[in-house]
Amino acid sequence: MKYRETTRSGGALPWLFQRISGVYLAVVLFVHVVNLHILIDGEIGYAAIAERVATPLWKTINISFLIVALFHGLYGLWIVLEDYIHIGWLRVLIYSVIATIALVFAIFGTLTMITFQYGG
Amino acid sequence: MAMITFKINRYNPDDEKRGHFVQEYQLDVPKGYTVLDCLNDIKWKLDGTLTFRRSCRSGICGSCAMTMNGVNNLACETQALALNCDTIAIEPLRGYPVVKDLVVSLDPIVRGLMAVKPYLMTKTPPPTDQERLQSPEEREKLDGLYECILCGSCTSSCPSFWADKEYVGPHAFLKAYRFVADTRDECPGEHLEPIDDKHGLWRCHTIFNCVEACPKDLNPTKAIAELKKELVRGKLG
Ligand code: SF4
Ligand code: FES
């Protein structure tokens, strides 16, 4: 006898990635704070930041941070909304809005980072 | 002895016009009376129409779970004077459909429970000369899991269940883990597979209400965490 219909969602891997991305975000934030507020010599100004951001290492860190943060935050938001929104078309609409926001921010952010240059 | 006012949520399906309402009763409560004793006194001496469910009056059957002053508990295990109030508000468990007065429908509990196949499942034939044995250490793993009396207090307190009536519920997850953790059970997937869905494990947001609500001091949230780990391990191979 079947007591309820099951609908596959494959929630295990997103759940795991949400945990891993949370740890990654915390670590990068920590590195950021230490780097910017403790290790830095002299004044924190455009020049100091721009010089660092223009290096390939920091470009990579910043792009990965952006993409992981977008996934972590927006997937979390979707999970919470999903609890309360049961109307089919509304779910599709909200999911599309969230996916679009993620895509637009990811593309613009990545382009900004890749093309950023400072000094010679 | 203390005079206590009981404010009880009432509902009679045969009197839809009146709907849900609160009725007050006053009772001289002697020391040692549980809330269930008080309800019995009210029913037997003041108002025979008051309806509630109880059976064992010793915290075993789970029938008398209800919300007392906002907290889910067993009426037969709650000392009325220990609540330290001159008014005690009693409601049926929240989140379930009310059948009458303090009696709720247990259909959602049974549906979630049966989904996880709450029984030992084996592939190998049983030994012919003895039972399927467990070492004391293996048996100890079931402590904190087997004691559930299926009172429904946990699922009633769960916001994920309030939002999604198809949600399997912490009571069923605790029961599922009771069998997944049992060394005699040879088919953990049979208990895990039905809860790996959008009304299942992944709807739990680790809110811990179920832990607070459980009159048996069990920890469904921990069981859910263990089940999640099992499923992730299974996916990663
Ligand atoms: S886990 Fe606790 S609250 Fe939940 S059904 Fe079992 S005994 Fe009741
Ligand atoms: S009457 Fe059985 S648990 Fe209270």
Side-chain angles (χ1 to χ4, degrees):
Chain A
M1 181 169 173
K2 218 169 165 55
Y3 284 87
R4 47 187 285 281
E5 290 301 317
T6 51
T7 27
R8 321 284 322 143
S9 76
L13 296 181
W15 177 86
L16 179 66
F17 190 67
Q18 196 73 341
R19 266 78 209 151
I20 296 173
S21 56
V23 172
Y24 179 77
L25 292 176
V27 170
V28 176
L29 264 181
F30 181 75
V31 170
H32 164 86
V33 169
V34 169
N35 202 9
L36 194 65
H37 299 282
I38 299 174
L39 295 184
I40 204 158
D41 287 333
E43 217 173 294
I44 306 176
Y46 179 79
I49 305 297
E51 194 180 332
R52 178 167 63 85
V53 170
T55 63
L57 174 69
W58 276 97
K59 282 188 178 192
T60 317
I61 293 177
N62 282 346
I63 292 172
S64 69
F65 188 83
L66 170 74
I67 291 177
V68 172
L70 279 173
F71 175 87
H72 187 89
L74 292 174
Y75 182 71
L77 178 67
W78 167 240
I79 285 291
V80 173
L81 290 174
E82 211 193 7
D83 277 356
Y84 296 98
I85 296 162
H86 302 294
I87 309 165
W89 64 266
L90 197 57
R91 290 170 77 97
V92 175
L93 179 72
I94 290 178
Y95 192 82
S96 317
V97 170
I98 290 179
T100 312
I101 293 175
L103 219 63
V104 168
F105 275 96
I107 292 172
F108 275 107
T110 308
L111 283 180
T112 312
M113 269 296 117
I114 290 176
T115 53
F116 186 80
Q117 281 177 350
Y118 181 70
Chain B
M1 203 76 137
M3 183 62 91
I4 295 183
T5 306
F6 290 85
K7 290 189 176 176
I8 303 182
N9 276 38
R10 303 210 54 191
Y11 167 74
N12 181 353
D14 295 332
D15 190 358
E16 280 297 345
K17 256 211 332 252
R18 190 144 193 215
H20 295 264
F21 62 99
V22 177
Q23 191 159 352
E24 289 190 14
Y25 302 93
Q26 291 200 321
L27 205 66
D28 249 338
V29 179
K31 192 164 173 274
Y33 254 40
T34 63
V35 171
L36 181 62
D37 293 325
C38 301
L39 288 173
N40 280 335
D41 258 17
I42 293 171
K43 185 171 176 73
W44 294 335
K45 296 181 188 152
L46 301 177
D47 183 353
T49 67
L50 180 67
T51 306
F52 49 94
R53 205 188 260 132
R54 87 276 182 274
S55 176
C56 69
R57 61 103 182 92
S58 50
I60 297 295
C61 70
S63 320
C64 68
M66 51 187 76
T67 307
M68 289 160 281
N69 284 349
V71 177
N72 292 356
N73 210 336
L74 301 173
C76 69
E77 283 199 332
T78 307
Q79 286 289 324
L81 297 183
L83 291 176
N84 230 344
C85 292
D86 46 21
T87 308
I88 299 178
I90 306 183
E91 304 159 57
L93 283 181
R94 294 171 191 180
Y96 303 123
V98 178
V99 176
K100 191 178 182 191
D101 293 344
L102 299 174
V103 176
V104 292
S105 163
L106 299 179
D107 288 355
I109 301 188
V110 175
R111 196 178 53 232
L113 181 68
M114 296 319 280
V116 305
K117 305 190 183 164
Y119 33 84
L120 273 183
M121 299 179 84
T122 55
K123 288 187 202 137
T124 54
T128 47
D129 54 340
Q130 59 183 14
E131 295 173 38
R132 292 177 195 273
L133 294 183
Q134 264 184 327
S135 69
E137 293 74 38
E138 288 171 338
R139 162 61 189 76
E140 219 165 80
K141 285 191 197 145
L142 306 181
D143 284 348
L145 300 172
Y146 78 89
E147 299 93 328
C148 171
I149 57 173
L150 289 171
C151 66
S153 294
C154 51
T155 299
S156 154
S157 74
C158 173
S160 294
F161 176 68
W162 300 339
D164 175 10
K165 292 296 177 209
E166 295 284 304
Y167 182 53
V168 175
H171 71 290
F173 295 138
L174 188 95
K175 195 61 94 183
Y177 190 56
R178 182 246 169 277
F179 290 101
V180 169
D182 194 315
T183 48
R184 295 166 299 175
D185 192 293
E186 292 163 352
C187 311
E190 292 283 333
H191 311 292
L192 286 167
E193 194 259 347
I195 52 178
D196 178 21
D197 85 342
K198 75 188 183 83
H199 302 295
L201 270 190
W202 314 111
R203 272 275 86 87
C204 168
H205 306 310
T206 326
I207 297 164
F208 285 104
N209 272 13
C210 52
V211 180
E212 205 167 314
C214 179
K216 292 286 155 191
D217 289 334
L218 308 179
N219 191 334
T221 308
K222 181 155 176 267
I224 292 170
E226 297 296 339
L227 290 169
K228 282 176 175 168
K229 280 197 260 171
E230 288 288 335
L231 271 173
V232 168
R233 259 187 234 124
K235 295 270 146 95
L236 297 180

